[in-house]
Amino acid sequence: MTARMGTARLGPAERFDALSRLGSQEFDVVVVGGGVVGAGVALDAATRGLSVGLVEARDFASGTSSRSSKLIHGGLRYLEQLNFDLVREALQERSLLLQRIAPHLVRPVPFLFPLTHVGWERPYVGAGLVLYDTLGFSLGFTRGVPGHRHLSRKRALRLAPALKRAAFTGAVQYWDAQVDDARYVMTLLRTAATYGAQVASRAQVVGFLREGERVTGVRVCDLETGVELDVRARQVVNATGVWTDDIQDLVGGRGQINVKASKGIHLLVPRDRIHSVTGIILRTEKSVLFVIPWGRHWIIGTTDTAWTLDKAHPAASRTDIDYVLDHVNAVLSVPLTRDDVEGVYAGLRPLLKGESEQTSKLSREHVVTHPVPGLVMVAGGKFTTYRKMAADAVNAVAHGLDLRVPPSCTDRIPLAGAEGYQALWNSRYRLAESSGLHVARIEHLLQRYGSMIDEVLVLIEGDPTLAHPLAGADDYLRAEIVYAATHEGARHLNDVLTRRTHISIETFHRGLAVAEEVAELLAPPLGWDGEQVKREIEYYTKRVEAERASQEQDTDQEADAIQMGAPEIVPVATPDPT
């Protein structure tokens, strides 16, 4: 078998080369921020023929973009707010992602909406879902998911026997889509790199380059070496989400965007704790609560509370966890307890500040501004609409360039791994036979890598021991760990256990039982010696211990103080406001 050609790798050598190029040439646009919006901007700009650089202070997708509900959806609750344009836009994007852009990463998922009132609620919810389904038709595409259907309580209980019979009167089932958010961002970045973008993680912007009023680039610190470099650019795009205000301060505080962070937490429990073949959505006093199927697990969330503390590691408190458990237990015949919780993660939504003090009422729409010459700011929005945000940001870049820039074409650009995915899926039994792997393993790999699966299989051909599952996290093969370092930009143990895989939240041991095996697998491609292996394990262990301890605290302040006590494997540089 030969490796698939044409898709960029993001290994150590490629990072070194990217940093060399970033420090030695002028780019049309440099993007600050390696979350879904920044990655989307890089791909949009690169596919319009612009030269592109992207830098991220931590790991790719290490902020909001790996801590979402992992849904691609229109947002049913925005219909109640009469925000039809936002819902329509999001559902158009859902269709594109499912059917053209990333069919290997985005897939349909059903949800059951239990009804609790007799009479008015069924026609009210039904009318909303008719509109939701109708808005899903766009651009000549079908919705990509089945339409909704009404169910009696008896039929609903056949789908979800875990529901408490007395807790509802009937139900409506509808469909949305889900995604591995961190993997999606990594695939976006690899696609952008394939079209020429130079991308580097652990590269923090510590200042702006200026010529008078104009921003002409950024000063970047390579956090792995401490070396600083000047990256020159005709336009800079700030796509840093909840860090938007911090970057505005670096440029002199003249920004026109104000972002307020809202914390949302999610719990993971084993699949057998909730007997259901469908996801569930529940209305709460503030928003909605999802019970989302996720492999051998359920993801349950989310909350919506203001957050003003550490942005890098938002903490989930005991109060947050109890809130989620209390609300889901209200409809379950067998309640969940803290002992059922395998993993917990907390993320921050970058909401645009408005008149409301309640984060649940702040805007999920996005804004793009050009506050000073040479600088574009983009913020707000949601994961589902990242592509539209990116196109709007690059439109603003085009306005600032003395070039004729073609319009966005990312609605027609499949992500890496999408081309040929369906044919390989149809051939999965043949792939299993030729590779020696069980067909279930091939399906797992196809749904993570798509047509890039052959790159993983080549690693196994070279070292058959990589075909073995990890001891203590057997959903993942050893080859996937090596591939994360050689192809996917992973630099540290935490990158792999938290984002390239989700072992940190999918196991009761939170990844500690496999930390040594994973670190040993990462050592050769990343050039670690024995001391670095020990250091990686030590830092990861301290991070897990801090997270566990924070989740026993009653308040955000107490939980945050404990999280802040865990050191970073790569210290983040202190920005120089001058």
Side-chain angles (χ1 to χ4, degrees):
M1 179 181 294
T2 57
R4 181 175 181 271
M5 301 299 291
T7 302
R9 294 168 54 141
L10 296 181
E14 288 76 21
R15 179 181 183 275
F16 179 84
D17 186 56
L19 286 169
S20 298
R21 291 173 182 268
L22 285 167
S24 62
Q25 67 184 70
E26 183 180 41
F27 291 84
D28 292 323
V29 57
V30 165
V31 184
V32 183
V36 71
V37 177
V41 170
L43 178 59
D44 191 285
T47 54
R48 295 200 206 188
L50 301 178
S51 58
V52 181
L54 179 145
V55 291
E56 161 58 44
R58 294 172 174 80
D59 184 26
F60 301 123
S62 58
T64 304
S65 295
S66 61
R67 305 179 190 187
S68 72
S69 296
K70 309 191 189 307
L71 292 176
I72 298 294
H73 64 128
L76 267 179
R77 68 189 179 104
Y78 302 123
L79 286 180
E80 284 194 302
Q81 300 171 7
L82 304 182
N83 198 337
F84 302 126
D85 288 341
L86 179 61
V87 175
R88 180 186 295 107
E89 179 179 83
L91 291 176
Q92 289 174 351
E93 293 303 304
R94 186 189 69 181
S95 295
L96 276 171
L97 296 174
L98 278 166
Q99 298 175 72
R100 178 186 289 168
I101 295 175
H104 57 314
L105 299 176
V106 181
R107 55 192 57 91
V109 60
F111 285 102
L112 199 69
F113 190 106
L115 304 172
T116 57
H117 298 86
V118 177
W120 66 269
E121 190 178 21
R122 186 179 289 277
Y124 177 75
V125 173
L129 285 168
V130 167
L131 181 58
Y132 196 68
D133 285 347
T134 302
L135 291 172
F137 288 103
S138 63
L139 305 173
F141 281 81
T142 62
R143 288 186 303 264
V145 299
H148 76 282
R149 58 176 181 155
H150 288 266
L151 302 171
S152 65
R153 179 164 58 185
K154 183 177 180 180
R155 289 182 66 195
L157 284 169
R158 288 179 190 157
L159 295 176
L163 290 176
K164 192 186 300 180
R165 184 178 182 85
F168 70 112
T169 61
V172 182
Q173 188 181 43
Y174 76 100
W175 292 72
D176 255 319
Q178 68 179 167
V179 67
D180 181 334
D181 47 9
R183 175 150 299 283
Y184 191 94
V185 174
M186 173 50 53
T187 307
L188 261 180
L189 286 164
R190 289 190 67 187
T191 310
T194 299
Y195 286 98
Q198 304 296 320
V199 303
S201 65
R202 313 287 179 180
Q204 184 181 11
V205 169
V206 294
F208 282 86
L209 307 181
R210 307 289 287 265
E211 288 290 341
E213 182 79 359
R214 174 171 286 277
V215 169
T216 58
V218 289
R219 175 167 285 271
V220 172
C221 178
D222 175 2
L223 298 182
E224 301 282 14
T225 63
V227 173
E228 292 194 0
L229 59 149
D230 289 345
V231 182
R232 293 174 294 121
R234 299 178 67 189
Q235 294 282 303
V236 174
V237 176
N238 174 22
T240 53
V242 293
W243 283 273
T244 296
D245 292 355
D246 301 62
I247 298 297
Q248 286 185 155
D249 289 343
L250 280 183
V251 82
R254 292 191 53 187
Q256 301 169 7
I257 300 177
N258 294 111
V259 171
K260 187 171 185 177
S262 167
K263 182 179 71 169
I265 79 139
H266 296 80
L267 313 180
L268 271 82
V269 302
R271 194 67 176 264
D272 63 6
R273 300 301 197 272
I274 301 175
H275 188 193
S276 177
V277 297
T278 178
I280 302 166
I281 178 173
L282 308 170
R283 189 190 297 271
T284 70
E285 68 276 8
K286 291 182 179 179
S287 182
V288 294
L289 189 77
F290 289 101
V291 181
I292 307 162
W294 182 257
R296 294 199 286 178
H297 320 270
W298 295 98
I299 295 176
I300 308 173
T302 181
T303 57
D304 191 347
T305 55
W307 181 263
T308 58
L309 303 170
D310 179 50
K311 295 170 184 171
H313 300 289
S317 67
R318 171 181 285 276
T319 302
D320 294 325
I321 295 169
D322 289 345
Y323 173 90
V324 173
L325 289 175
D326 288 347
H327 279 76
V328 74
N329 284 339
V331 300
L332 296 180
S333 56
V334 178
L336 299 171
T337 70
R338 287 289 295 267
D339 291 339
D340 295 315
V341 177
E342 294 173 287
V344 181
Y345 65 94
L348 302 177
R349 305 176 192 88
L351 303 181
L352 301 178
K353 285 185 181 179
E355 296 293 327
S356 174
E357 289 300 313
Q358 294 179 281
T359 57
S360 61
K361 294 184 179 179
L362 293 181
S363 175
R364 297 311 306 273
E365 296 184 78
H366 68 272
V367 63
V368 175
T369 67
H370 216 147
V372 296
L375 177 65
V376 171
M377 314 279 287
V378 55
K382 47 191 280 190
F383 196 108
T384 303
T385 57
Y386 83 88
R387 196 190 63 81
K388 296 288 287 185
M389 295 176 66
D392 288 348
V394 180
N395 287 342
V397 166
H399 183 73
L401 292 172
D402 297 325
L403 292 174
R404 186 172 183 138
V405 179
S408 176
C409 62
T410 52
D411 60 332
R412 301 183 298 283
I413 302 292
L415 297 193
E419 290 282 6
Y421 162 71
Q422 190 59 56
L424 286 170
W425 181 262
N426 294 342
S427 305
R428 61 193 184 278
Y429 289 96
R430 180 179 56 78
L431 268 176
E433 185 178 354
S434 64
S435 67
L437 297 175
H438 192 280
V439 68
R441 293 289 184 190
I442 293 295
E443 290 175 350
H444 162 87
L445 294 175
L446 282 170
Q447 291 182 333
R448 283 169 57 76
Y449 308 100
S451 56
M452 294 184 290
I453 185 175
D454 54 1
E455 297 175 343
V456 181
L457 296 180
V458 163
L459 292 176
I460 293 173
E461 277 190 351
D463 180 358
T465 67
L466 297 181
H468 300 157
L470 293 172
D474 61 1
D475 282 349
Y476 300 96
L477 299 180
R478 288 162 56 88
E480 296 180 76
I481 306 304
V482 176
Y483 187 81
T486 58
H487 288 70
E488 297 183 334
R491 301 288 302 166
H492 295 283
L493 179 61
N494 188 54
D495 300 347
V496 175
L497 293 178
T498 304
R499 285 171 291 277
R500 304 309 183 279
T501 70
H502 297 289
I503 294 169
S504 65
I505 56 174
E506 292 176 346
T507 57
F508 283 106
H509 57 71
R510 307 283 174 96
L512 294 180
V514 298
E516 183 174 354
E517 181 181 6
V518 171
E520 293 287 355
L521 286 166
L522 293 173
L526 293 177
W528 294 348
D529 59 17
E531 283 303 310
Q532 184 64 22
V533 168
K534 290 179 183 177
R535 188 167 174 263
E536 294 282 338
I537 296 169
E538 177 187 349
Y539 273 64
Y540 182 77
T541 300
K542 288 179 178 178
R543 172 59 56 195
V544 171
E545 289 172 348
E547 287 181 351
R548 282 177 164 165
S550 70
Q551 290 158 17
E552 296 300 325
Q553 309 307 307
D554 291 328
T555 68
D556 284 348
Q557 289 74 17
E558 293 167 329
D560 178 70
I562 290 176
Q563 285 268 53
M564 290 290 285
E568 295 275 3
I569 185 66
V570 174
V572 175
T574 302
D576 178 3
T578 62

